[in-house]
Amino acid sequence: MSVLQMQRISICAMKKDRKAILEDLQSLGVLEIDTSAVQDEELMRMDTLESRQAFEKNANAADQALEVLDEYSPEKKSMFASLEGKELIERANYLNVAERRDEILRKTNQIMALKKAIAESKAGIVKLETQKESLTPWLALDVPLNYRGTKRTAVLIGSIGSVLPLEELYQKIAEHVPDLDAVDLQIISVDKDQTCVAVICLKENAAALEEALRTLGFARPSQNVSEVPARQLEKLDAEIAELRQKIARTEDEIRTFADRREELRVFSDYFRIRAQKYEVLSRIPQSGRTFFITGYVPKKKAKGLEDKLEQKYSLSVELEEVSEEEDVPVLLENGKLAGTMEGIVASFGLPGKGEFDPSKVMFFFYIFLFGLMLSDAAYGFIIFLACAIVLKKFPRMAENMQKSIRMFMYCGLSTMVWGILLGGYFGDAINVISRTFFGHEVGLDPVWFAPLDDPMKLLIYSMLFGVIHLYTGLILKGYMCVRDKRYVDLICDVVFWLMMLTGLIMMLLPSELFRSISQMNIVFPAAVNTLAKVLAIGGAVGILLMSGRANKNPLLRIALGAYDLYNVTGWLSDVLSYSRLLALGLATGVIASVINQMGSMLGGGIVGVILFIVVFIIGHVFNLAINVLGAYVHTCRLQYVEFFGKFYEGGGREFNPFKENTKYVDIKEDTRL
Amino acid sequence: MSGIVWALAGAAAAVIFAGMGSAYGVGVAGQAAAGVVTEDPNKFAKVLILQLLPGTQGIYGLLVAFIALSKIGLLGGSPADLSVTTGLLIFAACLPIAVVGLVSARHQGRTSVASIGIVAKKPEQFGKAMLFPAMVETYAILALLISILAINAIPV
């Protein structure tokens, strides 16, 4: 249906136009370059790795500079910033930045240098803090740490690696150096793993004393500072303060670059685009004077591209249909409604070779099933409104995001319709509010019926919708067979199955089993009953005989047929799977009424109203979120497993054109194809 | 034991077991999701969805319990006078979601963990990653359906 047809385009042009042509192709973004098939000894490929890396480095530098700016001068961003999409800028603006790229690169480097300075200062502070810490035990000392004594006395300053009281120290020293008389020992500080001491003695005893102290684990302090510790501490504090100030100044300086943000973004994208161009340049074959590009272009844009290029340059363009064997990339186009399904299709797999785009058929079923699973008019309206506002407010949202939000908007509409049909407005909120706060109960009656009153009825309908959905899948398979003129496959794989299934369903409807489940009494005339049997048996025999037709061995063929016939159980489980439509629909409604009931527990009155409002808002937001998630996941499942299982495999390759693949801005195009 | 005790035990079992299963499932999936977010915070929304998937069983349990409670009139404050048979009927009707909820939520949680692994390595395959836990949930939905239909059909 709407897989865009591709054509192979081959361009041969003069080398002097190379840059201009590539730039044009890139800004048009309609051509996927594929030169893998071109093999010729004469043609050379250029090595552009080095310049590409240089460009990427610049782009990354700008990204990092932007990160730095965000760190020190954060931009005010709304909660919905991710919806805004890329900013659109004029091409003139872009070219202006391109021209001033050296200047901007300097700015980028400046920002990075400032950032580095901050990092260095911070490391400096850490270093000073460590010094401060090692100085703390010595603060009580009133001479410098490297003080060695006066003319006659020696001072030994250091720490002992264990906690020892003063008496014990004297005792230990006396044990080691018994003939020592003039020694003065002061404990400067004690903490849990060391004792800091200052020992004064006569110079001639110093060596012996130090030897004695060493046996106790004495060590001189590692820092060799010629200041009194307390003063040294002040100095360190001053240095730290200075570094802090320097950091603040540097941060301010970085902030002055905040208004350069715009430029940096464009700059980053400029180099990104150039790197992409050079990547392509390295892939295209070139001869001495000419170069050669070949690739895929959507057919409806091909002519325009050809005309545009021929007008502007002297070159040769050749268009040809793609051959059967080629691995052609897939691009979908489905317009505003069914286009919303493309994301869902793509996440299963784009249409493979010979398959068509299921988006259009899927669109109807997706919206229909989603609505039935959520089925609450108020929830539907909220979803619809929220999506509509977002779409209106952020017109430049990324395309895929826009598609998903539009899809949810339609799903919201469908939910609203189902809610009105099945009578859900925040569950039973209208009844509860009128009963609790206004004394008499009013309520909106469901237009169709309330599922909780008659769940079996909705269950039967769910399965009916399932049968329709699955039949559609099978018929689409038939459509593909007709399109490819595989009539035998059409009869054997589609018609026989349709016959058998229809026959079986027609046999089931008037049966006792169905009557007891559905309380519906269906009586067919005898002719119809006979027809049902004929259809079922005919289909079954057809499948038994024809399913294994690829096999020559008649026994094996019948065995394969019998195995295929067994797939009827698969159909049964597929149909039963649609019972989730009922279950999820009920879940929404019942949880909503639990919330309403909880809210109304305190009855009327001011307190009751406040409690109700709080419970109502929190509860319904929760219920909405969890059920939208459930409806989304299970609708996808019904599409992927049950529906696609009948006819669709996917496996196509996404169309990936050579374009300006930017990160921050979109550049306004002067011309479009 | 009078009927209402059995009925209440059924409602309690639905909430307790389905809730336990979901707590486990959401728990393990949450651990995996947190791991992914430490590497790449941008994947938060995607892994959060996967984490939430095993949480539904707990809600189904709540739902069945609520229907059961309102059926026996406990919510309105005037409990119905149930025979032991009716009470046992309601108890039995609650069992599918209680048992299947517990087991399926645990398995769904583990499947979610594996799917979070897919998202960590190949974020573009999110659609497929979401499908694996959803397959497990089918059985919880089937159990929920039978529990609801059964409770609804029991005359009180």
Side-chain angles (χ1 to χ4, degrees), chain A residues 127-190:
Chain A
K127 214 171 92 193
L128 293 173
E129 294 281 0
T130 333
Q131 281 180 25
K132 252 175 78 175
E133 206 169 301
S134 63
L135 211 57
T136 3
W138 302 105
L139 283 181
L141 191 69
D142 48 9
V143 290
L145 275 173
N146 61 354
Y147 188 67
R148 289 305 169 102
T150 59
K151 202 166 168 188
R152 299 293 306 277
T153 63
V155 177
L156 295 171
I157 298 171
S159 57
I160 293 168
S162 56
V163 183
L164 290 171
L166 200 58
E167 295 80 35
E168 210 171 316
L169 270 174
Y170 272 118
Q171 221 174 346
K172 291 253 161 98
I173 292 170
E175 275 169 28
H176 284 280
V177 206
D179 53 343
L180 192 69
D181 44 2
V183 61
D184 178 55
L185 211 152
Q186 282 179 24
I187 291 184
I188 310 291
S189 69
V190 182

Side-chain angles (χ1 to χ4, degrees), chain A residues 440-454:
Chain A
H440 59 96
E441 184 167 334
V442 293
L444 284 171
D445 279 334
V447 175
W448 192 17
F449 70 101
L452 211 51
D453 296 345
D454 191 359

Side-chain angles (χ1 to χ4, degrees), chain A residues 5 15 32 35 49 61 63 140 144 169 336 352 402-403 406 408 447 487 489 558 587 599 608 635 664 666:
Chain A
Q5 210 179 346
K15 234 174 173 172
E32 175 172 319
T35 52
L49 187 67
D63 289 351
L169 270 174
K336 275 221 150 174
Q402 201 171 12
K403 278 180 184 164
R406 194 138 19 87
F408 278 112
V447 175
Y487 296 112
D489 292 355
I558 298 292
T635 316
Y664 302 105
D666 278 334

Side-chain angles (χ1 to χ4, degrees), chain A residues 461-473 505 571 575 578:
Chain A
Y461 272 102
S462 297
M463 297 198 177
L464 173 68
F465 298 145
V467 169
I468 295 172
H469 198 199
L470 294 170
Y471 265 44
T472 312
I505 293 172
W571 275 83
V575 173
Y578 285 81

Side-chain angles (χ1 to χ4, degrees), chain B residues 7-106:
Chain B
L8 187 58
V15 176
I16 291 169
F17 292 112
M20 275 165 61
S22 276
Y24 174 85
V26 175
V28 285
Q31 289 164 16
V36 173
V37 172
T38 47
E39 288 290 316
D40 182 2
N42 293 329
K43 295 198 180 103
F44 175 71
K46 283 181 178 168
V47 293
L48 185 70
I49 289 179
L50 289 174
Q51 190 203 347
L52 277 178
L53 289 178
T56 38
Q57 279 85 344
I59 296 170
Y60 297 157
L62 170 82
L63 210 133
V64 168
F66 181 77
I67 297 180
L69 290 180
S70 71
K71 185 93 185 174
I72 59 178
L74 266 184
L75 285 184
S78 51
D81 188 23
L82 298 184
S83 70
V84 176
T85 315
T86 317
L88 277 170
L89 281 174
I90 292 178
F91 180 77
C94 289
L95 284 184
I97 192 60
V99 177
V100 180
L102 172 64
V103 177
S104 73
R106 284 181 67 101

